[in-house]
Amino acid sequence: MSEFLLHDEPVTQVYLDANATTPVLPCIADVVSHTMQICFGNPSSPHITGIQAKHLLEQTRQKARTVIGANSGDILFTSGATEGIQTAVVSTLINAKKNLIKNPVLLYGATEHKAVPNTLKHWNSVLEINAQVLAIPVDSNGILDLDFIAKHINNALMICTMAVNNETGVYQDLNAIERTIRSRNNDVSWMVDCVQALGKQALTLSDTTIDYAPFSGHKLYAPKGIGFLYIREGSAYTPFIAGGGQESGMRSGTENLPGIAGLNKLFSMLLDKSERTFKSADVLNAYRSQLQSAIVDTFGDITFNHDFTCSVPTTLNFAVNDLTSKEVIDLFDAAGIRVSGGSACSTGASTSFVLDAMGASKWQSENAIRLSFGPAATKEDIDHACTRIRALKVILQANCLIVSDSTTPQQEVCALGLTQFRHLGACSWLYVSDNKQAVIIDPIIELIPRFEKIANTQNLFIKGVLNTHMHQERSSAITLLSSVLADRILKADVDELGWPINEQHIALGQDVLEKITTPGHSQDSVSYILKNAKSNMSYCFCGDLILPAGLGNTSLIGGDAKKMAESILKLDAQLNDTSVICSGHDYQQCFAMNWAVQQAQTPLLNALITRGIDTDEFAVKKQSYDAVKQVNSTQLCGYVNALPEIETQQLSFNDAKKMLKASNTYLIDTREPYEHDANNVAQLFNTDDDKTLNIPLSRMANAIVEEQLSKSKHYILLCRSGNRSKVAATNLIQLGYKKVYNLSGGLALSH
Ligand code: PLP
């Protein structure tokens, strides 16, 4: 196996996120290490050690020129591309300030890495240039709009474009851009971000009028913290870092010689045509086709987000129809396959701005997965990656994430009991009785394909698709879901909320669901109480009347605080302390909440139930509370209180392994079953399978009601990073399970 794969994990990792960063090739690491230990001189020193270092520095600069086809101009070593971008922008703007034109603009491609627009905006403001910063639109293939450039280029101080996009691999026609720019404006400063082009495309910068081209080492097997910038001869320049005068005074600070030595080795490999490390475009294209087939065969319903004919072969960006990028990435990650969603540099954003700019649909953009490999990947790496991707198919089928095409599908995961489904803070609930009769409560439109797959693969008979009130934003969900599941749904006349007309209850095997009218959040609000025959405990689906650690809003149309008070008292008569509250929203990430904890966390609710205040006093307090909150809160459906700080006991991997030796200590994997299935947790912790439970957050409420946990046992909770399991641990401690510990750093730090 080559350096493309790492070997220090229990499950060997398959790294398919090369556009984010690459591992340093062993031969480059050797050179870096040698330079740190042996050839460690300071290029500014006059003695022999310094002279040797200086030689290495200049030799590398010369090789950089050859690699990017720049026989003139300057090459400066920087800390990476972001510094190169700063230098180019600052140099241009300081120069432009000397002679500011009227109505100046700064142009950048709409799909540019954030380092570019953010740098332009920052220095435009700091240097008080006050130019208009304009994004150049792209077409559906991600190609820049040349007419837009033509229209604005005469007023432009700077234009920034990129050679190859980091999310999609789409490359631009730099000749066409150059013709558009230079036929109108010879002086405008032009920067081309070449970070993702190096090693994947031939570059001859001296043949162009590109003024600045930043590069980064860590995107191509060199270490982080080293990069370089090409500056065309005669282009404006102001040192971005002043000091001891290194790099001919253009960039001070002792040079990062180990990093530069790493680039030196990289350049040698790129230039040596007999070298087999970097693959030809044909080979890389064949790799891409191979990965494409593996993805399509595994997930079936795929949409590729870019045209392969105008993108470099090392990037594949796609969305799996009906699966979120989080689900796909979590599954890949659990199976040791590292990919990224949209752009690794903008994690946290809900859509990809690159795909948005290309006019991709919202779901495509939200659910984009980027799979990228480096140009030094070997056939063995790609074969191995494809085998590992294909191995996911059984897990996807077993978890109802894809419909099986086999006549005897292996459906290990059973949806029996209660499962929570979430979409952006809103919750839907699926309850399945032992004889596979089901209800779906408060369905969310985006989750309809998921419910459809589960119902079909698990062979469920749906006795009701119910809303707790007419949700303004998703009123059509029950109609839509009822129509896609028409063959599996009980035929009955139902009211607006989906309840069968004239029925007092819905029987689900031995369990019974009842409806109670509970106005307050809206006039039509109802709650459903499900009595579990086995445990004699109940679930209360109360929509937006009661939210974990809060209450629904009463200031929307149809809201009535006094009625809310009456509804709460009505529910209280039906519930006991252990009843599990299942709301329409969960802004505080509570997952499992019972009536006793709900009261403890919601003082107003508690005061009403303990008769500290009557319904009129409740109404006055609630109205004034809502009026204040309405101004400040973005959570329209209700307002929640901050949860009490609960200290969870953190355990290291070794402590956890030791503790598991005791007979009453168990592991709980809080990840979703498809992640749990992808690796053998019991083996990793050296414990027995029967001491390892899989209770994802979405099944936490079910675990409580089904009495899967005991307050006398010790539980070590884990997930990938320690975050989800910490939430679960806090939840369980609140519910009275005191002997709960969290695996600090999760599986990521369990080596
Ligand atoms: N430009 C592009 C296209 C990139 O992909 C990246 C890194 O993600 C950068 C710029 C920033 O590079 P660096 O990490 O070297 O600062």
Side-chain angles (χ1 to χ4, degrees), residues 19 80-82 85 113 115 162 164 166 193 195-196 216 218-219 345:
N19 287 7
T82 304
I85 295 166
H113 187 279
M162 71 197 311
V164 173
N166 47 306
D193 176 342
V195 168
Q196 299 285 350
S216 179
H218 74 103
K219 305 288 180 175
C345 307

Side-chain angles (χ1 to χ4, degrees), residues 341-372:
S343 158
C345 307
S346 47
T347 37
S350 68
T351 57
S352 146
F353 72 89
V354 171
L355 297 178
D356 292 346
M358 289 163 67
S361 67
K362 187 162 172 271
W363 78 262
Q364 244 176 305
S365 177
E366 267 174 3
N367 297 311
I369 307 289
R370 180 185 70 186
L371 191 154
S372 52

